[in-house]
Amino acid sequence: MRIEYGHFTEQVRGVSNILVTGGAGFIGANFVLDWIAVESSPIVNLDKLTYAGNLGNLSNLKHDPRHVFVKGDICDRARVARLLAEHRPSAIVHFAAESHVDRSIHAPAEFVQTNVTGTFSLLEEARAYWSSLAEPEKSRFRFLHVSTDEVYGSLGPDDPAFTENTPYAPNSPYAASKAASDHLVRAYHHTYGLPTLTTNCSNNYGPFQFPEKLIPLMIVNAVQGRPLPVYGDGLNVRDWLYVGDHCAAVRLVLHKGRPGETYNVGGNSEKTNLEVVKTICTILDELRPLRSLPITHNPSPIARYSSLVTFVRDRPGHDRRYAMDAGKMAAEFGWKPGERFETGVRKTVQWYLDHMDWVQNVTSGAYRNWIDLNYGSRKIGNGE
Ligand code: NAD
Ligand code: TYD
């Protein structure tokens, strides 16, 4: 099936465009919307529309001729080859992945398929296409691979933050599959000279994040009066990066990054999970006080959202701490995150409150099966 949200007009054909993969997911959709808002060149968006992909994220672009959506799998090499030949992009920005650690623990095969085989397929087709280009298009071409801080493993409380030189030590099937894809990207630059760029970023948050990840899950559970399941002791630390800051960083690396280099992107906001959840609860207490809700929405009845916090059995192999040193981004490009966690999370909570119809859409059907699978065996309520 090919779904198009627009066609290249004669006017825009010929303007160099980019191919984005996974642009219907959380970060990819934010990137596409951001790109169309600030750049002039068109986007071809290849996405398989897994449970995590949602065309509703892109509904604002329905009538924008600069965005062409193509439903397809990055593992489908013939499809990718045709797209490259047809649209002749000046860059590929690769977001498509299976991205949730807990799902990778339950069912790792899909992670190897999309993250490793899929990235390999894309690299092979990108190499063939790039080799066929004449100058100056060949020198200008870029393959930007979006990856994660999780490839570096877990830090102790006093360890320095991850730099681009930190050795890889992935711990989950997700992290291992992303590490493998990073290594392939590195090898394609080293061996074939493909002009690659890799970004490794910390935990993103913001609009359109699927409510299986910590921040949106907690917001959605809280407003539905459900338990807020905190794994283990809640003292695992993550660095939180507002998705808009991440998108700006990816654009900057695409324009200015040196081929073959990797760049760490962080939010400079280390928080324990418990701090994150309590912050969300405090913001909700202010924006949607429980006392103001009709009794049907607060049957307990409880006065504060924090009373919904429930410690549950830990994630197997749960990394204790991630922290990013984004000094290279600052030194080379003057980039630093613009959003503080407190303001970014407030905006995010407000976005979810304003988009409960979006939440309803993405949490129907298979979502409940996932919640039952992941949380059913965690004995919510007794902290085991
Ligand atoms: P997501 O799970 O929200 O979206 C992934 C998108 O990729 C979906 O639209 C899905 O349909 C698509 N997709 C999956 N398999 C595909 C395939 N085989 N072919 C084509 N499309 C496919 O993920 P996200 O949170 O937006 O993450 C985007 C990228 O950023 C990923 O590579 C992820 O590893 C990386 N990353 C994410 C975070 C984070 O906090 N979310 C942090 C670090 C790195
Ligand atoms: P997550 O959003 O899944 O991102 P990642 O595992 O890639 O860091 O989880 C962020 C942190 O929150 C992680 O330490 C696990 C924890 N967590 C919970 O405590 N409860 C939950 O229900 C979820 C989904 C995550």
Side-chain angles (χ1 to χ4, degrees):
M1 179 169 67
R2 179 179 168 112
I3 306 168
E4 291 207 343
Y5 265 157
H7 301 269
F8 288 108
T9 62
E10 282 313 310
Q11 197 192 357
V12 292
R13 192 187 290 280
V15 174
S16 67
N17 59 84
I18 63 167
L19 173 65
V20 167
T21 71
F26 161 49
I27 304 173
N30 277 283
F31 180 84
V32 169
L33 293 168
D34 195 50
W35 180 277
I36 293 290
V38 298
E39 304 266 347
S40 57
S41 46
I43 282 188
V44 181
N45 182 357
L46 174 65
D47 195 297
K48 186 178 172 183
L49 294 182
T50 67
Y51 78 93
N54 179 5
L55 279 178
N57 300 352
L58 300 162
S59 57
N60 281 356
L61 302 179
K62 212 164 195 155
H63 304 295
D64 196 314
R66 291 173 300 164
H67 176 243
V68 172
F69 182 80
V70 179
K71 181 174 160 116
D73 191 330
I74 55 166
C75 300
D76 182 348
R77 286 182 56 175
R79 186 64 177 278
V80 171
R82 277 203 308 278
L83 274 182
L84 292 171
E86 186 185 343
H87 294 287
R88 308 194 65 72
S90 60
I92 297 174
V93 184
H94 177 34
F95 293 97
E98 288 293 332
S99 69
H100 189 30
V101 171
D102 290 320
R103 286 190 193 251
S104 84
I105 293 168
H106 285 280
E110 202 56 38
F111 286 71
V112 174
Q113 176 64 12
T114 284
N115 300 1
V116 186
T117 307
T119 302
F120 166 72
S121 305
L122 205 57
L123 281 165
E124 273 293 87
E125 292 310 322
R127 178 165 78 93
Y129 165 70
W130 169 73
S131 302
S132 75
L133 291 176
E135 294 296 351
E137 285 77 16
K138 189 170 184 184
S139 300
R140 283 199 202 130
F141 182 79
R142 297 287 182 271
F143 183 104
L144 191 152
H145 173 61
V146 177
S147 190
T148 170
D149 56 1
E150 305 197 21
V151 298
Y152 298 121
S154 184
L155 293 168
D158 301 320
D159 289 340
F162 301 129
T163 72
E164 291 79 0
N165 297 321
T166 302
Y168 274 32
N171 288 320
S172 69
Y174 163 68
S177 67
K178 291 297 290 187
S181 66
D182 293 10
H183 290 324
L184 283 167
V185 171
R186 176 191 155 90
Y188 271 63
H189 174 72
H190 188 82
T191 305
Y192 305 114
L194 187 70
T196 61
L197 299 158
T198 298
T199 54
N200 293 81
C201 68
S202 53
N203 286 57
N204 282 223
Y205 67 102
F208 300 116
Q209 187 166 30
F210 193 73
E212 63 183 356
K213 306 278 171 67
L214 181 71
I215 288 181
L217 181 106
M218 294 298 166
I219 299 170
V220 169
N221 276 19
V223 298
Q224 294 174 348
R226 295 176 192 272
L228 306 181
V230 173
Y231 296 166
D233 61 7
L235 299 181
N236 300 65
V237 173
R238 297 291 182 267
D239 171 60
W240 292 96
L241 171 66
Y242 191 67
V243 68
D245 281 334
H246 182 205
C247 293
V250 170
R251 277 192 283 113
L252 202 55
V253 172
L254 187 61
H255 291 311
K256 296 190 169 173
R258 287 176 290 127
E261 293 290 315
T262 72
Y263 296 90
N264 281 0
V265 185
N268 204 17
S269 290
E270 279 187 64
K271 305 279 172 210
T272 66
N273 293 337
L274 213 45
E275 283 175 301
V276 170
V277 175
K278 287 190 171 164
T279 303
I280 292 169
C281 289
T282 306
I283 294 169
L284 281 171
D285 283 334
E286 187 192 318
L287 297 181
R288 181 166 295 190
L290 278 159
R291 276 192 207 87
S292 71
L293 295 182
I295 197 77
T296 44
H297 289 89
N298 183 13
S300 302
I302 53 168
R304 298 203 169 274
Y305 285 96
S306 55
S307 27
L308 294 170
V309 169
T310 309
F311 291 94
V312 300
R313 199 180 68 215
D314 209 353
R315 171 189 281 172
H318 196 175
D319 283 340
R320 194 62 173 169
R321 174 176 166 241
Y322 303 142
M324 279 303 237
D325 178 343
K328 184 172 172 181
M329 288 289 295
E332 291 200 15
F333 313 129
W335 180 89
K336 60 179 172 39
E339 195 71 58
R340 285 188 310 116
F341 181 72
E342 290 68 23
T343 51
V345 83
R346 178 174 284 271
K347 278 200 242 179
T348 305
V349 171
Q350 187 66 62
W351 187 89
Y352 280 86
L353 292 179
D354 292 344
H355 293 84
M356 287 314 284
D357 50 341
W358 180 92
V359 171
Q360 293 300 337
N361 273 341
V362 303
T363 55
S364 57
Y367 178 77
R368 295 292 345 149
N369 300 340
W370 164 250
I371 295 296
D372 291 345
L373 177 68
N374 193 43
Y375 298 95
S377 60
R378 284 199 144 94
K379 300 193 177 147
I380 288 180
N382 65 7
E384 282 172 37

